[in-house]
Amino acid sequence: MESGTAARSTETNGAPAPAADSIEVHNPATGGLIKSIPVDSPEAVAATVARVRGNQPEWEAMGIEGRYHWLGKLRDWLLDNQKRVLDTMQEETGKVYADASNEPAYLADLINFYGTKAAKFIGEQSIRPHSPLLAAKKLQVQYRPYPVVGIISPWNFPLILALGDAIPALQAGAAVVIKPSEFTPLGLIEVVEAWKQEIGGPDVLDCVQGIGDTGGALVDAVDFIQFTGSDRTGRKVMARAAETLTPVSLELGGKDPMIVLDDADVDRAANAAAWGGMMNSGQICISVERIYVEEPVYDEFVAKLTAEVGRLRQGADDARNPKDIGSMTSPNQAAIVEDHVNDALASGARATTGGKRADGPGDYFEPTVLVDVDHSMKVMRDETFGPVVGVMKVRDSEEALRLANDTRYGLSGSVFGEKVRAEQVARRIECGAVNVNDVLVNYLASDVPMGGWKESGIGFRHGEPGIKKYCRSESLVITRFAGKREPTWYPYSKARRRFLPVISRFFGARDWRRKLGLRR
Ligand code: NAD
């Protein structure tokens, strides 16, 4: 590694990032170096933000349809160039192809969703005054974008969690600058270059590269920050943003519970737990991490889950030799997963399958099912973010709910069971979204908000809040007809002194005696 180069450093989850002038991006499935990219200095970040800021008014003036026209070109480019983008992203993340292919598909759908719903969500509103005293006023609310939105994104879904937040911001009329994860910047760079060179899109979308210094400089320069990452970094971003009173939306970690009731379809529940816990090597904020199973179906569930997880093929995935599970993406992550699993095993847990790092040049952890776990163990308490689930037997749904809610996180969860009963249980999980008889699928339902309770975040993406958060409301109170002066203005005559008490009694009281001043 060259001096002054931050190569797959462990700094992101730990100590402050070192000042470096370039980043080495590696393929975690093989360990090989892909390429080095230059880091943007704080001055370069400020210059990029200033440049797109200069172009933002024209972008905003295009209106919702004009902006959808351009975002539609991005959608078409993503669909036409899926293989190219997926190859880049697969190489930098170590994902299997099937997992990577979710990204362009999601983004194309999101562009259409916000393109067609933006007028409803952020179009100008006319509002009837609630009070007769305002009858002469016309009330309008318009939604104006924050001029520049900064997006800081993690490595687990390099496009979804960067462009996925940029799309509603751009559709709202903001310019956007993204700082992707230092581990996975290449797919995003490719798309942003295509926006500029191949699509010829307006100069309102760019990205900057680096770690903490670059991220901090972005926070300083923009008008709104959308951050996705660990709660540890989220706290730093929020503190930094407080210095300039810049609003933030934070999408942070999770420790999602799954509850399996005794009337569940156990095959479906086990298959869902395997996919929801292992997809993307468990590196999903809404992965199934903890499972609580009612006693009568516990043994059957564990046997089926173990068989399903035990069948998964792990390794570097290619068309001739397809795999189900790829590598860990961040170099820190395998160590965190190993620590959680070893902590559990040392305290009496048992792995029914997996349980250790896998051999090979890349960075792999075996798909693992742990039983005999409890809430004293890290694997049931802290975010593992790896291909590991812990399964606990519970007496009934009350015990399951108590344990599911016994966490500092509150991102999402799932319940399997007869649908009426499962829905009743789902409503009592303390988190931002719950799937009933399914897992992870809420992320694709862009119609409804997705965000964290407790330490899983502040704010929401998707649905109406997912675009409105990028706007400031401006209320217009327009006088439709008027005389030379209003009764509340000067002069403060005797009549003026009596005016408000009488009027407020007349319109405020809800009984006639009081309205007419007959009751003291
Ligand atoms: P991270 O917090 O280490 O890094 C996230 C981003 O912050 C990276 O781009 C990083 O370079 C940047 N960063 C680091 N220090 C910074 C600083 N001081 N100022 C500004 N930016 C800084 O997170 P990660 O390891 O990349 O991602 C994994 C985490 O993300 C997990 O906790 C996961 O649950 C969470 N996540 C949450 C969601 C969600 O929607 N809630 C989605 C995906 C991932």
Side-chain angles (χ1 to χ4, degrees):
M1 180 180 50
E2 293 160 25
S3 71
T5 298
R8 298 186 67 72
S9 80
T10 55
E11 299 298 329
T12 315
N13 288 336
D21 50 28
S22 67
I23 290 169
E24 285 184 353
V25 184
H26 286 72
N27 179 339
T30 62
L33 173 68
I34 306 173
K35 64 167 14 172
S36 283
I37 55 164
V39 162
D40 286 290
S41 66
E43 296 73 27
V45 173
T48 301
V49 171
R51 199 190 76 240
V52 299
R53 186 185 291 286
N55 300 324
Q56 183 272 336
E58 202 180 326
W59 177 246
E60 184 184 352
M62 278 184 199
I64 285 171
E65 280 307 316
R67 297 191 293 269
Y68 184 30
H69 166 79
W70 282 108
L71 289 168
K73 285 178 185 276
L74 175 62
R75 172 203 58 218
D76 295 346
W77 185 91
L78 285 165
L79 294 174
D80 294 346
N81 293 277
Q82 291 200 52
K83 166 120 181 48
R84 179 174 146 195
V85 175
L86 291 179
D87 284 347
T88 307
M89 226 183 1
Q90 193 184 10
E91 200 182 7
E92 66 182 339
T93 58
K95 284 174 195 269
V96 295
Y97 203 78
D99 286 349
S101 62
N102 285 298
E103 305 219 19
Y106 165 87
L107 295 170
D109 179 63
L110 196 74
I111 288 172
N112 290 336
F113 175 73
Y114 277 117
T116 53
K117 300 279 184 196
K120 179 172 168 225
F121 293 156
I122 56 166
E124 181 153 334
Q125 285 178 290
S126 300
I127 297 188
R128 247 170 99 124
H130 76 288
S131 161
L133 292 174
L134 294 169
K137 308 294 179 197
K138 178 172 122 176
L139 305 183
Q140 297 290 124
V141 182
Q142 67 166 343
Y143 295 93
R144 298 278 312 277
Y146 287 99
V148 186
V149 169
I151 293 175
I152 300 177
S153 55
W155 43 260
N156 57 331
F157 286 94
L159 291 190
I160 287 181
L161 297 168
L163 283 174
D165 287 318
I167 286 163
L170 288 165
Q171 185 62 72
V176 172
V177 177
I178 304 170
K179 195 212 78 66
S181 168
E182 61 277 22
F183 300 124
T184 55
L186 302 179
L188 182 74
I189 291 175
E190 195 160 322
V191 180
V192 170
E193 279 307 304
W195 170 264
K196 292 178 186 174
Q197 308 297 337
E198 295 175 46
I199 299 170
D203 185 16
V204 290
L205 170 65
D206 211 338
C207 55
V208 291
Q209 308 304 331
I211 314 181
D213 288 349
T214 312
L218 188 63
V219 175
D220 292 346
V222 298
D223 309 298
F224 185 97
I225 272 287
Q226 165 65 49
F227 172 83
T228 305
S230 61
D231 57 291
R232 179 192 183 102
T233 313
R235 286 170 217 273
K236 289 187 198 163
V237 166
M238 193 167 173
R240 180 94 174 223
E243 288 170 24
T244 47
L245 289 179
T246 302
V248 295
S249 178
L250 305 175
E251 297 282 350
L252 309 176
K255 188 73 193 168
D256 286 6
M258 171 172 170
I259 295 177
V260 183
L261 302 173
D262 62 5
D263 45 16
D265 174 339
V266 178
D267 289 290
R268 182 173 172 84
N271 293 338
W275 185 68
M278 306 296 150
M279 193 226 175
N280 208 42
S281 298
Q283 301 167 118
I284 314 184
C285 53
I286 54 173
S287 285
V288 173
E289 294 225 350
R290 311 174 278 144
I291 308 176
Y292 306 98
V293 188
E294 283 192 322
E295 209 163 358
V297 292
Y298 175 82
D299 291 339
E300 182 188 355
F301 175 84
V302 170
K304 287 180 169 164
L305 174 62
T306 302
E308 180 75 5
V309 171
R311 271 195 286 274
L312 299 176
R313 300 158 302 174
Q314 186 174 44
D317 170 61
D318 62 56
R320 275 168 307 160
N321 194 10
K323 296 286 192 294
D324 305 302
I325 296 208
S327 66
M328 307 311 294
T329 297
S330 148
N332 314 319
Q333 209 52 41
I336 295 171
V337 177
E338 187 171 44
D339 175 48
H340 284 199
V341 171
N342 287 347
D343 168 75
L345 294 175
S347 307
R350 198 161 45 85
T352 61
T353 183
K356 58 181 190 329
R357 281 193 195 223
D359 300 331
D363 209 0
Y364 294 92
F365 199 93
E366 292 176 350
T368 299
V369 177
L370 294 174
V371 294
D372 300 337
V373 289
D374 63 46
H375 278 212
S376 70
M377 301 172 186
K378 292 180 188 174
V379 82
M380 297 302 276
R381 236 180 26 233
D382 301 333
E383 186 179 41
T384 306
F385 220 56
V388 177
V389 289
V391 192
M392 270 179 86
K393 189 192 293 182
V394 292
R395 259 188 328 277
D396 53 24
S397 59
E398 288 306 314
E399 186 181 11
L401 274 166
R402 185 178 57 72
L403 290 165
N405 291 333
D406 175 26
T407 171
R408 67 189 177 95
Y409 290 114
L411 200 49
S412 62
S414 54
V415 182
F416 283 74
E418 183 279 319
K419 63 177 189 283
V420 173
R421 187 171 161 234
E423 185 182 325
Q424 283 167 354
V425 173
R427 286 173 185 278
R428 294 173 59 199
I429 299 186
E430 292 162 3
C431 65
V434 189
N435 296 298
V436 174
N437 289 325
D438 209 334
V439 287
L440 311 184
V441 69
N442 66 291
Y443 207 93
L444 301 179
S446 10
D447 317 75
V448 289
M450 183 265 167
W453 290 18
K454 304 184 195 171
E455 294 178 33
S456 285
I458 293 176
F460 293 85
R461 59 163 64 99
H462 293 165
E464 185 168 329
I467 187 166
K468 222 170 209 168
K469 71 181 175 190
Y470 294 124
C471 299
R472 301 153 300 173
S473 65
E474 180 172 348
S475 299
L476 298 156
V477 180
I478 299 159
T479 303
R480 294 190 296 173
F481 41 84
K484 297 286 181 209
R485 57 178 95 227
E486 295 286 327
T488 46
W489 296 357
Y490 295 130
Y492 283 172
S493 59
K494 275 191 179 162
R496 167 68 181 82
R497 286 169 67 89
R498 283 199 303 273
F499 177 73
L500 268 186
V502 169
I503 285 292
S504 64
R505 197 173 58 222
F506 187 79
F507 288 116
R510 289 292 174 263
D511 62 280
W512 278 105
R513 284 180 62 81
R514 201 172 260 106
K515 270 182 193 295
L516 299 174
L518 299 175
R519 182 161 162 193
R520 299 240 150 244

